[in-house]
Amino acid sequence: MADYTTHHFTAASRYTVSVGYDRRLYAHDIEASMAHARMLGRQGIVSKADAKAIVGGLEDVRREIEAGSFVWRDELEDLHMNIEARLHELIGEPAARLHTARSRNDQVATATRMYVRSAIAETDRGLRQLQDALVSVAEAHRDAIMPGYTHLQRAQPVLFAHHLLAYFEMFDRDAERFSQAARRASVLPLGAGALAGVPYPIDREWVAGELGFDGVSANSMDAVADRDYIVEFLAAAAICMMHCSRLAEELVLWSSAEFGFVHLGSEWVTGSSIMPQKRNPDFAELARGKTGRVYGSLVALLTVLKGLPLAYNRDLQEDKEGLFDTVDTLGATLDAFRGMLGSIEVDEARMAAAAQDSALLATDMADYLVGKGVAFRDAHAAVGALHEAASARGVGLGELSLEELRAQSPAFEADVADVTARSSLAARDVEGGTAPSRVADALKQARKRLEAAGG
Ligand code: ARG
């Protein structure tokens, strides 16, 4: 009878047990084992009958796992040994031939690469839905004007849609990063064996094709030793969470009484146990907070890898929990944003009122003077002085009379009254600018890009 325990199991050896979490790889591990068994049969490394028995048995194991009747045993340490041991119980002797021309080292790398690929496909769906939600809010409020900020100080008027589309671009680059990571993950390690390759006439290309890999690894030691494909996934996830966190921060600010720009739907806020008036943006806050654990997983894995000699080391088993946690955290975060954005009520009047602050037009007044032949630096100084004088009197720049303006710069004429928040927007008619025609075009392009991405 084959023995599937890898060492003498004691209470202390719980330290090495991973089955509590690595069983999440079961579907990929079984699929890879089936392809491996079929290949062994095709190549005459095991008999066709044995290959068939193995594949059938693995199907039963999968059914048991999915039905919840599979008994996971800690003393078998990881999911690979659990599955193989159960296969042996079910089909007997042929099960002992499955591990021919394979090691757990190339086996786990294969299952993890498959997992990362499917996690990225899932992440891409979440990202596209979030982008879609952003574009929908932008489309529904395409004329809404708001103050754009630098240093969180009112800077220049922008379209709300323009502000939202900035996040569309960030998430678009995130999707691109994930898809590049998926491409590099799509290389089959099986055939690397423990580290040096295997002494059997295997057909790696055939297995790669069966499992949907784009190719096979070129170096057996690299194949079992590196986890850079997980690092890349975690790095892309960390960047994506950073973007989510910034958007979260905006939602927190915008939904505060101080801004009052948006109102989040009641499912996306919580009350306070003591203050009856509270509508706390907890989902946005948690999205901001959960960014930390994703950064943590990235740094943890980089640290696990940095001192490891080639090839496989058991340290590599530490790659999984951070990966799984990141997949869950990112997926739930993307879902929460889609929901929050779908529920959002936008107070266009509040935004417009904030954008009416004439200080926002200081740059445009300077540009107005430039239009009258004044050098920009001089125009900047003149408007700066006017702004200071107005502030000292407790009035806005827009409340100064033409005479007061002309006292500072004789280039001011009656048509300075045409400088408004709307004229400020329209003037920014450059590629990527906030002019309404440009933003309308950007919205159309965003829709097209989403369609092309299959979202
Ligand atoms: N559970 C192990 C891991 O995740 C599988 C590979 C074990 N290989 C070994 N030589 N002990 O890394």
Side-chain angles (χ1 to χ4, degrees), residues 162 424-439 441-442:
H162 193 58
S424 168
L425 290 181
R428 281 164 176 76
D429 185 15
V430 294
E431 182 87 47
T434 194
S437 60
R438 297 287 183 169
V439 174
D441 196 46

Side-chain angles (χ1 to χ4, degrees), residues 264-319:
L264 295 170
S266 53
E267 328 85 272
W268 304 101
V269 296
T270 63
S272 156
S273 54
I274 173 166
M275 297 167 282
Q277 83 283 14
K278 292 300 281 290
R279 294 181 90 259
N280 299 325
D282 296 39
F283 286 80
E285 292 168 79
L286 275 170
R288 196 174 55 188
K290 284 174 186 291
T291 303
R293 63 198 290 156
V294 174
Y295 290 3
S297 295
L298 169 62
V299 174
L301 183 58
L302 285 168
T303 310
V304 164
L305 294 173
K306 72 178 272 289
L308 295 186
L310 296 185
Y312 179 85
N313 299 271
R314 191 62 177 270
D315 316 45
L316 293 172
Q317 183 168 290
E318 286 291 307
D319 62 354

Side-chain angles (χ1 to χ4, degrees), residues 22 62 107 148 204 211 243 264 307-308 359 367 397 403:
D22 68 9
R62 181 162 58 195
Q107 182 182 357
R204 303 187 66 203
L211 297 177
H243 289 148
L264 295 170
L308 295 186
D367 289 326
L397 199 48
E403 290 66 48

